[in-house]
Amino acid sequence: MNVLAAEGGVAFEATTNGIWFVEHAWIVVLLPLVSAALILFLGSRTPGKGAVYGIAAVGAAFVFSIGVLWHFVEGGGPFEGSIDWFTIGPLHLELGILVDGLTGVMLVVVTAVSLAVHVYSLGYMHGDERFTWFYVVLSLFTAAMLTVVVSNNLIQLLVGWEVMGICSYLLIGHWWEVKENSDAAIKAFITTRVGDVPFMFGIIALIAVTGFTTTNIGEVSHELGLGEVSPLFVSVAALLLFGGTVGKSAQFPLHVWLPDAMAGPTPVSALIHAATMVAAGVYLIGRLFEVFLLADEWVLTVVSIVAAITALGAALLAIVQDDIKRVLAYSTLSQLAYMVAGLSLGELGLTAGFFHLFTHAFFKALLFLCAGSVIHAVHSNNMSEMGGLRKYMPITFWTMLIGSLALAGIIPLAGFWSKDELLVVAHEEHATWLFVVFLVTAVITAFYTMRMVMLTFFGEYEGEAHPHESPRTMTGPLVALAAATIGVGLLGAPQLNAVFGKWVFFEEIHEAVFVPWIALLSTAGALLGLAAGYVLYRERKARDPLQAPIGPVWNLLQHRYYIDEFYMRAIVRPVRDTWSAGVNWFNQVVFDGIVDGAAVVTRWVAQLVAWFDRTVIDGAVNGAGEVAGRTGNALRYLQSGNVQWYAVGLFVGVIALAVVFIRVVV
Amino acid sequence: MIRLPLVLMFSALLFSAGVYGVLARRNAIMVLMAIELMLNAVNVNLVAFAALLQQMTGQVFALFVIAVAAAEVGIGLAIVILLFRTRESINVDEVNLLKW
Amino acid sequence: MSAQEYAFVVLAVVGSLSAIAVVTSTNVVHAALYLVVALLSVGGVYLLLGAEFVAWVQILIYVGAIVILFLFGLMLTKAPIGRDALDNQQRWLGAIIGVGVFAGLVFLIQDAFPMQDAQAFEPARGTTDVVGEAIFRSYVLPFEAVSFLLLAALIGAIVLARKDDST
Amino acid sequence: MTWENSAITIATLLPVVGAIVIALMPKSKERAIRGLGIVVSGAALAIAIAIAIGFDYGTDGLQFELDLDWIGAIGVRYHVGIDGISLPLYVLTFLLSFLCAVYTWRFVPDPGRTRGFLALMLLLETGMAGTFIAFDLILFFVFWELVLVPMYFLIAIWGSANREYASIKFFLYTLFGSIFMLLGFLAMYFQGPDPHTFDMVVLRDFGAGGGFGQTFQLIVFGAVALGFAVKVPMWPFHTWLPDAHTEAPTIGSVLLAGIMLKMGTYGFIRIAIPFLPYGAEKYAPWIGALAAIAIVYAALACLAQKDLKRLIAFSSVGHMGFVMLGIATLTEIGIQAAIFGMVAHGVITGMLFFCVGSIYDRYHTREIARIGGGMMQTMPKLGGVFAFVAIASLGLPGLAGFWGEIMALLSSFSPSEVFLADRVGLFRLYMVMGGIGTVLTAGYFLWMLQRVNMGTLPDHWREAGLRDVLAVEWVSWFPLLALILVLGLYPRLVFGVTDDAVGGLMRLLGS
Amino acid sequence: MDVDYHALLPEFILAGTVLLVLVVDVFLPERTKWFAMPLGLVGVVASLVAVATLIGAGTRVSFGGTYVVDEFALLFKGFFLVTAVVVLAVSLRYFREGGFYQGEYYFLLLTSFLGCVMMPSSRDLLLLFIALELVSAPGFLMAAFRKGDVKSNEAGVKFFIIGVLSTAVMLFGMSLIYGVTGGETQLAEIASALADVPGELQTLTYAAILFVVVGFAFKVSAFPFQFWAPDTYEGSPVPVAAFLAVASAVAGFAGLLQLMFVAFAEQHEFWVPIFAFLSVATMSVGNFVALRQTQMVRLLAYSGIAQSGYILMTFALVTDDAASNRTAFAAGVAYILIYGIMNLGAFAATVAVSRRHPALLIADFAGLRETAPVIAVGMAVFMISLAGVPPTGGFWGKLLIFQAAIERGGGLGPALAVVMLVNSVVSVFYYLLVPRQMFLREAADRSRLRVPALVTVVVGAATIALVGIFVLPNPVARLAEISSLVGLGP
């Protein structure tokens, strides 16, 4: 179908091997959509309950995405194509694709992670009552996310955006028999919708800029670029759009939903709440970067402040979690904030931020899937009921270790390169305070990552179940993602030409630079965190019956790092036990309190409204009836039954009429 | 050789007396009598105007009124007698089964 | 004031007083007799106004027929005697309205035909043949209609007043 | 009489003929009666679809027009026609009525009496369809009022416990409003061009050209708008609606929500605004304010509802608030959004009422707490359909409910530059309220789903023998479910029809 | 003597029938007394045929202009005769089974109708008076015709006293009119005489007009002359109530239309506000008091009062503008016709129910849809029509009045329209009470109600007529338009 190209599609580089894939990128979207429909209608009648459609479609989409990306690898330019959707008055809407390097990268990320999750779920969801339905929503979600990614206009983007939201809702509440799960699902949907409303208004404002003629992102940017729109207008629009990011990417102060969203099946957490959907908020800023750049400076400052708070706060929270998925969830918040903060640094930050998005997607998905594997084995989310699993599930252990190290930012794993680049950009843009935030967060990240690994895999198993290694369908994706985690970072390594920057950039390519001291610093921070974690939790695990009698002295000797101890007492413990608890308290009491309180108040107002409706408005209506009835009753007594009273009425009537009306005329 | 207003005043007095009688009497036959007074007032008017205007129409009209009045009295008395039969009383202020 | 007018005033006073007596008397038979007087006075007034035929009809029909009917009615219904038996509880209201009607009519008459400007007039004579001719020239239709009315009244009155076996 | 000038008349009057035939059939022929109901409404639908196919989508003029003398003495004509504004609502009327007839094949509410039920329903169908094609004010009013009586009986006879109160409230409320509307119509007749006429095309051209005086417009717009507002219903004239919906039988609720409410908004678009543009200009901010209040108010009210049907009834108030908000902007986009909103609401809320009807059929209660959740466990299909429609109703993009809302908000961002240039701030406030409304809407629908669909089935239903969706239900629901999706993905289905007509209307008003 | 015998033929036939009924009754044995009814029916139909022969025959003037047969008169004559057919039809069973004096009843009824038929042709005060009495006097008697029933006696007494009183007041007014116009009794002559009545007589003239109006206001039961109506209707035999509510009241309107549009047209500035008041007060009292009624006939009585208020409104719409007057007049006439149909239907249905439930409480209509479906459907249509809601003819009646009110404009018109509108809505409350009983309640005795065939026919015909008028209102709207009387209006 060459309609797209025919109707105004422009390819800048006519001859690359990937051009065909680029021009037909809509197929990537269509594949999972079709598979969703197929699974829905045929799934339960297909052997394997329909998962095969999803896997095949997403697999094809992945291959296709590679093809698209290949175009950019070969140095191809962006492509845009569209068909008419509908027209409403002056407003012309189109269905279109806008494929540039950013899109290509995102396509690969989404399809890759989605493929991994699709395969992984074969094992993880095996025997689930609603297995087929799960795959329907999974495929639908993938289609929605891809829609957002390839969309060339705001409304189409919004459609995909919200469909993702509903899929997220459906998947979080997948096990809706338990009330906590459905609560979490609702909380997720509503909280993100709070952000979506300003986002919608932002979109409307941007459409208004074009005089309500188009929703095309390119044309909106062009219109803004003319400079005829007041900066304040653009600033407000940008801030409104950022609302969408805050919601979807779970940034402060709307981050409360994401940890709860872990109630969903773990593959879902991996796909939606770690790798893709939550990253859409970041993608949004990148897609509409022009708006943010044209806005007043304070807008980006606001963005960076929000990101900084999220990054730090979330990381601290991760420390105190026992639920392994919650650790990862807070970690995700924190990492997303890294990306947002990176984007707030301007054009250089765009590349860096997206590079982090790219790498994070792989290693975080990996981490989640590993966690899932663990949970699958021990039937518990709590790390206090794990321990020592390294022995039972080596593949999971190793892959998770790789993921953890990547998260911690250990060279040469993916996380290292992207974090490093963010630090470099922060440095280059003289955003010292952000630099520090990045660094500190990195340390904490490494720390909790290590804590997680230690509590899960080291020590003795403390649970009730009989842990075992997961089936191939689960470990396969783990291995694949682990490989990716090792590899993808290199795409942005300055030593290797930093090809990523040639795909994803704003207006002009900036060469990534390697600043040795920053690299050293970040690595050191990461190691510091890891070490602290290792030390600490090794010690906690040691508090088993055998080691307890030796007491603190044994520990002290065993580790000999009194500095560590000092760190622990002076920094780690206050941070972990006091500060993070405080943040946790703040989170639960103040933010959840606000949400809950808002719910309570809303409920209360609703009661009031209902009462008002019943009493006052209905009362007025019924009252009118009552008044009419009473009037009738009063008038009724004129009809006394005594005919002489009737005669009195007759004569009084005549006299009165005569007196009144003759006077009127004469 | 009579001045018109004097006659009309007489008529007015008859009429008013009739009005009072209709309102104040409880005996149905007395009420009928009062009504006759009112109709007579009408006739006095008609005859007076006929005399003033030197033509017969008023007198003819009066004759018709007398005839109709006779018919009304007949009807009225029949109803009153019927009333007496069923109620043993012809007090109109006690006739109030139907009301509201 | 002419002699006719003097006569009229005398008749009017007698008629008015007896009319008032009709509606205030405490004795039903007295009331009926006062009614006779009042009707006779009115008949006299007709005569004075030159309406001879009407006057005779008045005396014949009213005094001769209607009052007799009333007396029959009074006998048949065993009318009691006395103020409370004859008047209802709202007679004060009736008095107010009666006086009001009278005042209103007097005002209207005075407004239209002021006493001070009033001219005495010579009435036309309404003898039997004149009136009869008028009736049968222009008023055949009402005459016929009235005959139906009287017929209906007669038949209806008989039906109603007659004592049924069933009741 | 050719196809061109008689098609819409035939389609509109066919149900009445069917109603008479059904009323005369012997009571014992139960199945034949139900079958005839389906056949008649199906035939009407087929004609309506043929009209839609034969419709020329490239023009804003009247089509299938027929203009006959009706009551010459008072200048009333039988003038019917159809244009892009009418067509979607017209077809929707027949579709929903047909589906209701199909649904009745299996579900006749207590106390039975199928004959009367179907006859009244078909009569109702004619009234509703006629309203959308009438181009004479009195004819319009006649059709408008024609729906009152059958709906009254549908509620009063086949309703639930409190049906008498609800039915009379419905009747009086709407009658009260519509009589004021009639006065307005008469006033326009006498103030209109010479020779006086009720013809809506003539009056529209006259009024849009500023033919009516300003004070006149203010008064008459108020009168006419009152009639429409009660029907919509706009806050604070809405209180008849929850009662009527709650008590009405399923079919009644479906048609009430699906079509009848649209008659009010249609009236605004077809009559109030083009005839009385100055009045519209002055009233629009107030209408917008009421619409915005309605959105938030209804959502809050929904949160407090314990009765499932009442909840959905209240949600109608909110959705119609979006429709009115779109209309109040007096923009081309806003009005098209309103029409889309009407169609979408008709399909979605109609479907929701079907669901509630079936839920009631299974549980014999509509109390959310009594249902107690877990419907997905025993009746996954019914629960799934219910969830799908509820999600469509909360305005999920990609489903029908979205376009009306987003476009209404979009248009209220910058209301008509011709009429409301100095009210931009106000309308943006309305937009924000609308946005808050969407969040709350999502809240109550999801909460509702949680309480009805999710969780585990309470013990007292275990032995109740709850049956999942029946074949007849699938048949009567499938078109609506498909439409919800199709309209969401391909909104051109409506926008493509309305675009020219609304464009023409706006040109007429000089914007 | 200018007598157009053809023009008087309907009256002659009817008068002959009256006498024939009277005579034949004497010879009929008790068991076949009911035979008077078909006899009367034949006469009425013959008279109707005679009316039909006069259609399109132009204006016929007899008796020196005091008796005019024009389109207006024919329209009303036709209406009265059709009403007579209906009342006769619903009377048969009622009187036959009730043990009443049947022959005399039919005689009185037809006499009354004779008065009705004379009314619209009478263009003379004396004739109007006689016609009015001819309508009323048999009415007094018929109201009391259920001799053994105290309520019926009471109905007669009240009707009689108020009727005679208002006649007295009216006659007093007529005598004054006679005086101030210099001896005129013909309506047209009165109009020209009043046109240049001397200034000092003006007040008296107004008072006289008011007094004359009272007599007719009593007939149409306008407030404050309406008190007799509910009591009398309730106490009377139901067919008599139907006669009073339709024929008698419409006769009052026929007289009133002639008086106001012919004789007193010039003085409309005086009487328009009076009618405005009467109309508003009458419809309001009727509607509001009707809200609390529990007896069917009484409900219909109050409903009739309210409907009179609507019709009276058309009088209040008269101005100097002939075109607008014509609209008002046409609206009034059309409403009267439609009112007649729906009210007759309602009374016929009531007659049907009275056989099982003589007390005729509204609650007695419970479950009628089951016990008498045709009657129930008909009654529902009548009630909806009385409320003025489509799909019934009553809708057009109200619409026409609304239209006239708006056309009149000038503040008063729209104001009256709004009052009428509020009243209409209020009225729905009580009109719906009846369908509610019939369709939503179950009867205690669920066996089939035996309805006389004639009553069923009447109900069915009225139902079809009302729905037919709704679909094709043109004839009714046109019928009113052709009324020639309005041409004489101001």
Side-chain angles (χ1 to χ4, degrees), chain A residues 31-32 35-36 38-39 50-61 114-115 118 135 138-139 142:
Chain A
L31 283 168
S35 82
L38 283 175
I39 303 168
V52 59
Y53 301 115
I55 293 167
V58 177
S114 182
L115 179 61
H118 267 82
Y135 268 90
L138 216 53
S139 285
T142 309

PDB file of all heavy atoms in Angstrom, chain A residues 31-32 35-36 38-39 50-61 114-115 118 135 138-139 142:
ATOM      1  N   LEU A  31       0.256  -4.772  12.825  1.00  0.00           N
ATOM      2  CA  LEU A  31       0.493  -6.176  13.157  1.00  0.00           C
ATOM      3  C   LEU A  31      -0.058  -6.564  14.519  1.00  0.00           C
ATOM      4  O   LEU A  31      -0.889  -7.472  14.629  1.00  0.00           O
ATOM      5  CB  LEU A  31       1.981  -6.485  13.040  1.00  0.00           C
ATOM      6  CG  LEU A  31       2.488  -6.662  11.600  1.00  0.00           C
ATOM      7  CD1 LEU A  31       4.013  -6.671  11.574  1.00  0.00           C
ATOM      8  CD2 LEU A  31       1.943  -7.949  11.001  1.00  0.00           C
ATOM      9  N   PRO A  32       0.359  -5.869  15.573  1.00  0.00           N
ATOM     10  CA  PRO A  32      -0.202  -6.268  16.874  1.00  0.00           C
ATOM     11  C   PRO A  32      -1.692  -5.993  16.998  1.00  0.00           C
ATOM     12  O   PRO A  32      -2.408  -6.711  17.715  1.00  0.00           O
ATOM     13  CB  PRO A  32       0.591  -5.424  17.885  1.00  0.00           C
ATOM     14  CG  PRO A  32       1.238  -4.356  17.097  1.00  0.00           C
ATOM     15  CD  PRO A  32       1.364  -4.819  15.688  1.00  0.00           C
ATOM     16  N   SER A  35      -3.342  -8.838  15.517  1.00  0.00           N
ATOM     17  CA  SER A  35      -3.196 -10.017  16.369  1.00  0.00           C
ATOM     18  C   SER A  35      -4.116  -9.916  17.575  1.00  0.00           C
ATOM     19  O   SER A  35      -4.677 -10.909  18.031  1.00  0.00           O
ATOM     20  CB  SER A  35      -1.748 -10.194  16.794  1.00  0.00           C
ATOM     21  OG  SER A  35      -1.433  -9.384  17.889  1.00  0.00           O
ATOM     22  N   ALA A  36      -4.308  -8.677  18.086  1.00  0.00           N
ATOM     23  CA  ALA A  36      -5.234  -8.513  19.217  1.00  0.00           C
ATOM     24  C   ALA A  36      -6.619  -8.988  18.824  1.00  0.00           C
ATOM     25  O   ALA A  36      -7.288  -9.718  19.563  1.00  0.00           O
ATOM     26  CB  ALA A  36      -5.278  -7.043  19.658  1.00  0.00           C
ATOM     27  N   LEU A  38      -7.394 -11.030  16.386  1.00  0.00           N
ATOM     28  CA  LEU A  38      -7.362 -12.470  16.151  1.00  0.00           C
ATOM     29  C   LEU A  38      -7.439 -13.249  17.456  1.00  0.00           C
ATOM     30  O   LEU A  38      -8.198 -14.209  17.585  1.00  0.00           O
ATOM     31  CB  LEU A  38      -6.088 -12.852  15.400  1.00  0.00           C
ATOM     32  CG  LEU A  38      -6.070 -12.561  13.900  1.00  0.00           C
ATOM     33  CD1 LEU A  38      -4.706 -12.887  13.329  1.00  0.00           C
ATOM     34  CD2 LEU A  38      -7.161 -13.352  13.193  1.00  0.00           C
ATOM     35  N   ILE A  39      -6.665 -12.781  18.421  1.00  0.00           N
ATOM     36  CA  ILE A  39      -6.670 -13.502  19.694  1.00  0.00           C
ATOM     37  C   ILE A  39      -8.034 -13.405  20.340  1.00  0.00           C
ATOM     38  O   ILE A  39      -8.575 -14.365  20.882  1.00  0.00           O
ATOM     39  CB  ILE A  39      -5.588 -12.950  20.639  1.00  0.00           C
ATOM     40  CG1 ILE A  39      -4.211 -13.024  19.980  1.00  0.00           C
ATOM     41  CG2 ILE A  39      -5.570 -13.725  21.948  1.00  0.00           C
ATOM     42  CD1 ILE A  39      -3.152 -12.238  20.710  1.00  0.00           C
ATOM     43  N   GLY A  50      -4.006 -18.890  21.659  1.00  0.00           N
ATOM     44  CA  GLY A  50      -3.916 -17.644  20.932  1.00  0.00           C
ATOM     45  C   GLY A  50      -2.637 -16.865  21.079  1.00  0.00           C
ATOM     46  O   GLY A  50      -2.419 -15.888  20.384  1.00  0.00           O
ATOM     47  N   ALA A  51      -1.797 -17.273  22.018  1.00  0.00           N
ATOM     48  CA  ALA A  51      -0.572 -16.518  22.216  1.00  0.00           C
ATOM     49  C   ALA A  51       0.257 -16.465  20.945  1.00  0.00           C
ATOM     50  O   ALA A  51       0.980 -15.505  20.693  1.00  0.00           O
ATOM     51  CB  ALA A  51       0.238 -17.141  23.347  1.00  0.00           C
ATOM     52  N   VAL A  52       0.105 -17.502  20.152  1.00  0.00           N
ATOM     53  CA  VAL A  52       0.938 -17.607  18.956  1.00  0.00           C
ATOM     54  C   VAL A  52       0.734 -16.427  18.020  1.00  0.00           C
ATOM     55  O   VAL A  52       1.670 -15.916  17.423  1.00  0.00           O
ATOM     56  CB  VAL A  52       0.665 -18.949  18.247  1.00  0.00           C
ATOM     57  CG1 VAL A  52      -0.803 -19.059  17.847  1.00  0.00           C
ATOM     58  CG2 VAL A  52       1.556 -19.104  17.037  1.00  0.00           C
ATOM     59  N   TYR A  53      -0.507 -15.947  17.928  1.00  0.00           N
ATOM     60  CA  TYR A  53      -0.756 -14.787  17.062  1.00  0.00           C
ATOM     61  C   TYR A  53       0.048 -13.586  17.537  1.00  0.00           C
ATOM     62  O   TYR A  53       0.665 -12.872  16.757  1.00  0.00           O
ATOM     63  CB  TYR A  53      -2.234 -14.421  17.064  1.00  0.00           C
ATOM     64  CG  TYR A  53      -3.168 -15.505  16.592  1.00  0.00           C
ATOM     65  CD1 TYR A  53      -4.092 -16.071  17.451  1.00  0.00           C
ATOM     66  CD2 TYR A  53      -3.113 -15.947  15.262  1.00  0.00           C
ATOM     67  CE1 TYR A  53      -4.957 -17.051  17.022  1.00  0.00           C
ATOM     68  CE2 TYR A  53      -3.978 -16.929  14.829  1.00  0.00           C
ATOM     69  CZ  TYR A  53      -4.897 -17.495  15.706  1.00  0.00           C
ATOM     70  OH  TYR A  53      -5.742 -18.453  15.270  1.00  0.00           O
ATOM     71  N   GLY A  54      -0.033 -13.385  18.852  1.00  0.00           N
ATOM     72  CA  GLY A  54       0.658 -12.236  19.405  1.00  0.00           C
ATOM     73  C   GLY A  54       2.143 -12.321  19.179  1.00  0.00           C
ATOM     74  O   GLY A  54       2.779 -11.359  18.753  1.00  0.00           O
ATOM     75  N   ILE A  55       2.690 -13.488  19.457  1.00  0.00           N
ATOM     76  CA  ILE A  55       4.142 -13.622  19.332  1.00  0.00           C
ATOM     77  C   ILE A  55       4.572 -13.450  17.890  1.00  0.00           C
ATOM     78  O   ILE A  55       5.539 -12.723  17.588  1.00  0.00           O
ATOM     79  CB  ILE A  55       4.589 -14.982  19.886  1.00  0.00           C
ATOM     80  CG1 ILE A  55       4.350 -15.007  21.401  1.00  0.00           C
ATOM     81  CG2 ILE A  55       6.050 -15.246  19.574  1.00  0.00           C
ATOM     82  CD1 ILE A  55       4.461 -16.373  22.017  1.00  0.00           C
ATOM     83  N   ALA A  56       3.822 -14.052  17.000  1.00  0.00           N
ATOM     84  CA  ALA A  56       4.178 -13.941  15.592  1.00  0.00           C
ATOM     85  C   ALA A  56       4.102 -12.491  15.143  1.00  0.00           C
ATOM     86  O   ALA A  56       5.014 -11.964  14.483  1.00  0.00           O
ATOM     87  CB  ALA A  56       3.236 -14.795  14.744  1.00  0.00           C
ATOM     88  N   ALA A  57       3.016 -11.810  15.525  1.00  0.00           N
ATOM     89  CA  ALA A  57       2.836 -10.445  15.066  1.00  0.00           C
ATOM     90  C   ALA A  57       3.906  -9.538  15.626  1.00  0.00           C
ATOM     91  O   ALA A  57       4.516  -8.732  14.908  1.00  0.00           O
ATOM     92  CB  ALA A  57       1.445  -9.943  15.479  1.00  0.00           C
ATOM     93  N   VAL A  58       4.153  -9.669  16.905  1.00  0.00           N
ATOM     94  CA  VAL A  58       5.142  -8.789  17.519  1.00  0.00           C
ATOM     95  C   VAL A  58       6.540  -9.132  17.006  1.00  0.00           C
ATOM     96  O   VAL A  58       7.371  -8.241  16.789  1.00  0.00           O
ATOM     97  CB  VAL A  58       5.048  -8.866  19.045  1.00  0.00           C
ATOM     98  CG1 VAL A  58       6.127  -8.019  19.689  1.00  0.00           C
ATOM     99  CG2 VAL A  58       3.673  -8.414  19.513  1.00  0.00           C
ATOM    100  N   GLY A  59       6.747 -10.402  16.799  1.00  0.00           N
ATOM    101  CA  GLY A  59       8.034 -10.780  16.229  1.00  0.00           C
ATOM    102  C   GLY A  59       8.228 -10.150  14.862  1.00  0.00           C
ATOM    103  O   GLY A  59       9.275  -9.554  14.575  1.00  0.00           O
ATOM    104  N   ALA A  60       7.196 -10.236  14.052  1.00  0.00           N
ATOM    105  CA  ALA A  60       7.298  -9.611  12.736  1.00  0.00           C
ATOM    106  C   ALA A  60       7.507  -8.121  12.871  1.00  0.00           C
ATOM    107  O   ALA A  60       8.303  -7.504  12.147  1.00  0.00           O
ATOM    108  CB  ALA A  60       6.022  -9.896  11.932  1.00  0.00           C
ATOM    109  N   ALA A  61       6.789  -7.553  13.827  1.00  0.00           N
ATOM    110  CA  ALA A  61       6.932  -6.113  14.033  1.00  0.00           C
ATOM    111  C   ALA A  61       8.354  -5.777  14.439  1.00  0.00           C
ATOM    112  O   ALA A  61       8.911  -4.752  14.030  1.00  0.00           O
ATOM    113  CB  ALA A  61       5.941  -5.652  15.103  1.00  0.00           C
ATOM    114  N   SER A 114       8.437  -5.926  23.906  1.00  0.00           N
ATOM    115  CA  SER A 114       7.142  -6.566  23.807  1.00  0.00           C
ATOM    116  C   SER A 114       7.281  -8.025  23.389  1.00  0.00           C
ATOM    117  O   SER A 114       6.607  -8.901  23.930  1.00  0.00           O
ATOM    118  CB  SER A 114       6.273  -5.811  22.807  1.00  0.00           C
ATOM    119  OG  SER A 114       5.005  -6.396  22.724  1.00  0.00           O
ATOM    120  N   LEU A 115       8.168  -8.250  22.447  1.00  0.00           N
ATOM    121  CA  LEU A 115       8.398  -9.623  22.006  1.00  0.00           C
ATOM    122  C   LEU A 115       8.887 -10.479  23.164  1.00  0.00           C
ATOM    123  O   LEU A 115       8.388 -11.585  23.402  1.00  0.00           O
ATOM    124  CB  LEU A 115       9.409  -9.647  20.848  1.00  0.00           C
ATOM    125  CG  LEU A 115       9.756 -11.023  20.300  1.00  0.00           C
ATOM    126  CD1 LEU A 115       8.511 -11.701  19.752  1.00  0.00           C
ATOM    127  CD2 LEU A 115      10.826 -10.917  19.223  1.00  0.00           C
ATOM    128  N   HIS A 118       6.043 -11.099  25.443  1.00  0.00           N
ATOM    129  CA  HIS A 118       5.093 -12.037  24.854  1.00  0.00           C
ATOM    130  C   HIS A 118       5.573 -13.476  25.038  1.00  0.00           C
ATOM    131  O   HIS A 118       4.803 -14.362  25.414  1.00  0.00           O
ATOM    132  CB  HIS A 118       4.914 -11.749  23.356  1.00  0.00           C
ATOM    133  CG  HIS A 118       3.766 -10.830  23.050  1.00  0.00           C
ATOM    134  ND1 HIS A 118       3.856  -9.467  23.141  1.00  0.00           N
ATOM    135  CD2 HIS A 118       2.494 -11.082  22.643  1.00  0.00           C
ATOM    136  CE1 HIS A 118       2.705  -8.915  22.809  1.00  0.00           C
ATOM    137  NE2 HIS A 118       1.853  -9.879  22.496  1.00  0.00           N
ATOM    138  N   TYR A 135      -3.327 -11.958  26.546  1.00  0.00           N
ATOM    139  CA  TYR A 135      -2.595 -11.720  25.299  1.00  0.00           C
ATOM    140  C   TYR A 135      -3.292 -10.692  24.417  1.00  0.00           C
ATOM    141  O   TYR A 135      -2.644  -9.924  23.702  1.00  0.00           O
ATOM    142  CB  TYR A 135      -2.365 -13.036  24.552  1.00  0.00           C
ATOM    143  CG  TYR A 135      -1.050 -13.656  24.937  1.00  0.00           C
ATOM    144  CD1 TYR A 135      -0.960 -14.537  25.991  1.00  0.00           C
ATOM    145  CD2 TYR A 135       0.108 -13.303  24.251  1.00  0.00           C
ATOM    146  CE1 TYR A 135       0.250 -15.074  26.376  1.00  0.00           C
ATOM    147  CE2 TYR A 135       1.330 -13.834  24.620  1.00  0.00           C
ATOM    148  CZ  TYR A 135       1.397 -14.718  25.685  1.00  0.00           C
ATOM    149  OH  TYR A 135       2.607 -15.222  26.049  1.00  0.00           O
ATOM    150  N   LEU A 138      -2.309  -7.425  25.846  1.00  0.00           N
ATOM    151  CA  LEU A 138      -0.884  -7.212  25.614  1.00  0.00           C
ATOM    152  C   LEU A 138      -0.643  -6.745  24.184  1.00  0.00           C
ATOM    153  O   LEU A 138       0.094  -5.772  23.935  1.00  0.00           O
ATOM    154  CB  LEU A 138      -0.143  -8.530  25.887  1.00  0.00           C
ATOM    155  CG  LEU A 138       1.241  -8.450  26.517  1.00  0.00           C
ATOM    156  CD1 LEU A 138       1.193  -7.620  27.782  1.00  0.00           C
ATOM    157  CD2 LEU A 138       1.746  -9.852  26.830  1.00  0.00           C
ATOM    158  N   SER A 139      -1.264  -7.427  23.235  1.00  0.00           N
ATOM    159  CA  SER A 139      -1.088  -7.038  21.836  1.00  0.00           C
ATOM    160  C   SER A 139      -1.685  -5.670  21.573  1.00  0.00           C
ATOM    161  O   SER A 139      -1.098  -4.833  20.879  1.00  0.00           O
ATOM    162  CB  SER A 139      -1.774  -8.059  20.924  1.00  0.00           C
ATOM    163  OG  SER A 139      -0.999  -9.219  20.869  1.00  0.00           O
ATOM    164  N   THR A 142       0.564  -3.064  22.781  1.00  0.00           N
ATOM    165  CA  THR A 142       1.708  -2.867  21.897  1.00  0.00           C
ATOM    166  C   THR A 142       1.303  -1.992  20.710  1.00  0.00           C
ATOM    167  O   THR A 142       2.025  -1.055  20.328  1.00  0.00           O
ATOM    168  CB  THR A 142       2.224  -4.225  21.396  1.00  0.00           C
ATOM    169  OG1 THR A 142       2.420  -5.072  22.527  1.00  0.00           O
ATOM    170  CG2 THR A 142       3.503  -4.070  20.632  1.00  0.00           C
TER     171      THR A 142
END
